[in-house]
Amino acid sequence: MGGPEIDHLITLLAKLPGMGPRSARRAALRMLQQPEQRMLPLAQALAAAAAAVRPCADCGNLDSRDPCSICADPRRDRSIICVVEGVGDLWALERAGVHHGLYHVLGGTLSALSGTRPEDLTITALLSRIEEGETREVILALGATVDGATTAHFLADQLRPTGVTVTRVGQGVPIGGALDVLDDGTLAAALRGRRSA
Amino acid sequence: MGGPEIDHLITLLAKLPGMGPRSARRAALRMLQQPEQRMLPLAQALAAAAAAVRPCADCGNLDSRDPCSICADPRRDRSIICVVEGVGDLWALERAGVHHGLYHVLGGTLSALSGTRPEDLTITALLSRIEEGETREVILALGATVDGATTAHFLADQLRPTGVTVTRVGQGVPIGGALDVLDDGTLAAALRGRRSA
C-alpha cells in the first residue's frame, strides 16, 4: 500500500498486547501524519528504555537504576519481602500503594504443563537475600491458580528452615464484586477466609 | 516505578489509537522483557518509516516512494480518480481491492464546525490533475455524514465545468447487516437507492 516501511511497522505494532491489525493500521496512520511530533518521540523513547532498563540484581524489578528505585529507597521497610510472579504484578501492587516493603520477582510459577522447575525461578536468590538477616516476613503474592498455589506451597516449604514468617495474600470476593457472578472456587475461598464482622 | 524512561514510554504508548494506560503498561512490560527482540526492532521501524514515508505529490497517499506505488503503477486505470477524505479511507479501499484506478486524498471535509474551508483541502490540485486530460470519471467516496455530503455537493459543482463524469458511492444496508439495527437515515438511503431485483 505505502511501501515496505509502512507494512513492517504495522506488523510490529499489531504484535503489541491489546493491538491487532486494525488498531495497528490506525496507530501507524496517526503517527505517519505527524512523524516529528508522534513517531520520532516514540522511536527515541523505545531506544532509550531498551538501552537504560535492566532487571534489578537484587529483586528482579525492571528499572533504569540497579539496584532498582524500590531496593534503593531508604523509606521502604527492608524487613518485608513480597514475592510476585512477574514485574507486572509488582507494578500493580505499587500502583495500589499497598506494600511498603521490598519485592522479589520469581520469574514465573512452577508448572508441570510448561515444564517450569524450581531452578528456573529465582528461589536461590530469594533464600540468599533472607540469609542476609534483614527479613522478618515473606508475603507470597501469587495468583490464585493451580500453579500459583503449587508454587506457594513449595516456597513455604523452602522458607520454613529460615525461620521467617511466611504469609499468603487473602482470597475471596473482589472489592466491588457481586457474589452471583463469582465462580465456585472463589466463593469457597471467600467462605473459608471468613472473619468476624 | 522503574525510572523516567519507562514512565515516558508508557505515556507515549498510551496515546496510540486503541491503547490506554493499561494496555500501554502491558505493551511496555512485554517489550522491556525482550528489548533486543521486541523493543529495538519497533524503534528502528518507527525511525525508518518517519524518515522514508512522505505524502505523494500527486494524490496525497502516504508512501516511501513519490509518486506513490499506486500513482506509479502502470496497471492502474488512470482514467478514474477516487476522491477520499483521508489516507485511512484509501487503505480501506485498497484492502478491499475494489478500485483499480487512482486516488485523490482531500485531507478532510468541508466543515462549518471545525472551520475547514475549500482552500484547506486539495481541491485545486484535483482540478489540476483533471486538466491534464487523462481523467474520465471522478468517484466521490466520502463518508455518509453531513460534512461528507456537503463536500460531495461542493466538489460536484466544482467539477462540472471540466466535463468529467462525477459519481458518488452508493449508500444503503451494509453487506451482512440486518435492517432492524440500522438508523432511519440509512434505511431511507437504502429505499431511495433501490434497484430491480
Side-chain angles (χ1 to χ4, degrees):
Chain A
M1 221 129 60
E5 291 86 354
I6 297 182
D7 292 342
H8 181 57
L9 175 61
I10 291 174
T11 305
L12 291 181
L13 285 173
K15 288 183 189 163
L16 294 179
M19 298 279 268
R22 197 186 173 87
S23 45
R25 282 194 298 265
R26 284 176 56 217
L29 186 54
R30 173 85 69 87
M31 287 192 285
L32 283 165
Q33 285 166 338
Q34 293 183 293
E36 306 292 328
Q37 296 88 341
R38 291 180 178 271
M39 206 149 199
L40 294 179
L42 181 56
Q44 286 152 5
L46 287 162
V53 175
R54 294 281 173 273
C56 172
D58 288 343
C59 75
N61 184 20
L62 289 167
D63 202 309
S64 47
R65 298 168 63 182
D66 186 13
C68 76
S69 318
I70 294 172
C71 286
D73 186 345
R75 291 163 304 179
R76 309 290 299 212
D77 182 349
R78 312 192 74 77
S79 70
I80 309 182
I81 295 179
C82 181
V83 175
V84 291
E85 180 181 337
V87 175
D89 304 319
L90 186 162
W91 287 6
L93 287 163
E94 282 299 290
R95 279 198 305 280
V98 290
H99 175 60
H100 307 290
L102 304 180
Y103 289 94
H104 191 82
V105 178
L106 271 189
T109 48
L110 299 177
S111 167
L113 200 65
S114 72
T116 308
R117 296 156 307 170
E119 56 266 38
D120 299 322
L121 306 179
T122 61
I123 296 174
T124 309
L126 174 62
L127 292 169
S128 301
R129 289 179 73 184
I130 292 168
E131 271 169 26
E132 290 167 15
E134 277 191 296
T135 314
R136 191 171 44 80
E137 178 179 355
V138 171
I139 304 171
L140 302 176
L142 302 172
T145 60
V146 172
D147 288 343
T150 306
T151 310
H153 274 293
F154 182 85
L155 284 175
D157 279 348
Q158 296 281 307
L159 292 169
R160 197 162 296 125
T162 67
V164 297
T165 304
V166 180
T167 56
R168 293 175 57 180
V169 289
Q171 296 176 356
V173 183
I175 305 305
L179 259 76
D180 59 357
V181 296
L182 292 176
D183 60 291
D184 298 351
T186 302
L187 289 174
L191 282 185
R192 273 199 311 273
R194 66 191 180 276
R195 299 186 301 177
S196 65
Chain B
M1 222 129 57
E5 291 86 356
I6 298 182
D7 291 343
H8 182 56
L9 175 61
I10 292 174
T11 305
L12 291 182
L13 285 173
K15 287 182 189 163
L16 294 179
M19 298 279 268
R22 196 185 175 88
S23 45
R25 283 194 299 264
R26 284 175 58 215
L29 186 54
R30 172 85 69 88
M31 287 193 284
L32 283 166
Q33 286 165 336
Q34 295 183 293
E36 306 293 328
Q37 295 86 342
R38 291 179 177 274
M39 206 148 197
L40 293 180
L42 182 56
Q44 286 153 5
L46 287 161
V53 175
R54 294 280 173 275
C56 172
D58 288 344
C59 76
N61 184 21
L62 289 166
D63 201 308
S64 48
R65 298 169 63 181
D66 186 11
C68 75
S69 319
I70 294 172
C71 286
D73 185 344
R75 293 163 303 181
R76 309 285 304 210
D77 182 348
R78 312 193 73 79
S79 71
I80 309 182
I81 295 180
C82 180
V83 175
V84 291
E85 180 180 338
V87 175
D89 304 318
L90 186 162
W91 288 5
L93 287 163
E94 282 299 290
R95 279 199 305 281
V98 291
H99 174 61
H100 307 289
L102 304 179
Y103 290 94
H104 192 82
V105 178
L106 269 189
T109 49
L110 298 176
S111 168
L113 202 63
S114 71
T116 308
R117 296 156 308 170
E119 55 267 39
D120 300 321
L121 307 179
T122 61
I123 297 174
T124 309
L126 174 62
L127 292 169
S128 302
R129 288 180 75 184
I130 292 167
E131 272 169 26
E132 290 167 16
E134 276 191 296
T135 313
R136 191 171 44 82
E137 178 180 355
V138 171
I139 304 171
L140 303 176
L142 302 171
T145 60
V146 171
D147 288 343
T150 306
T151 309
H153 273 294
F154 183 84
L155 284 175
D157 279 347
Q158 297 283 307
L159 293 168
R160 194 162 297 126
T162 68
V164 298
T165 304
V166 180
T167 58
R168 292 175 57 177
V169 290
Q171 296 176 355
V173 183
I175 305 303
L179 259 77
D180 59 357
V181 297
L182 291 176
D183 61 290
D184 296 352
T186 303
L187 289 174
L191 282 184
R192 271 199 311 272
R194 66 188 179 276
R195 299 185 303 177
S196 66

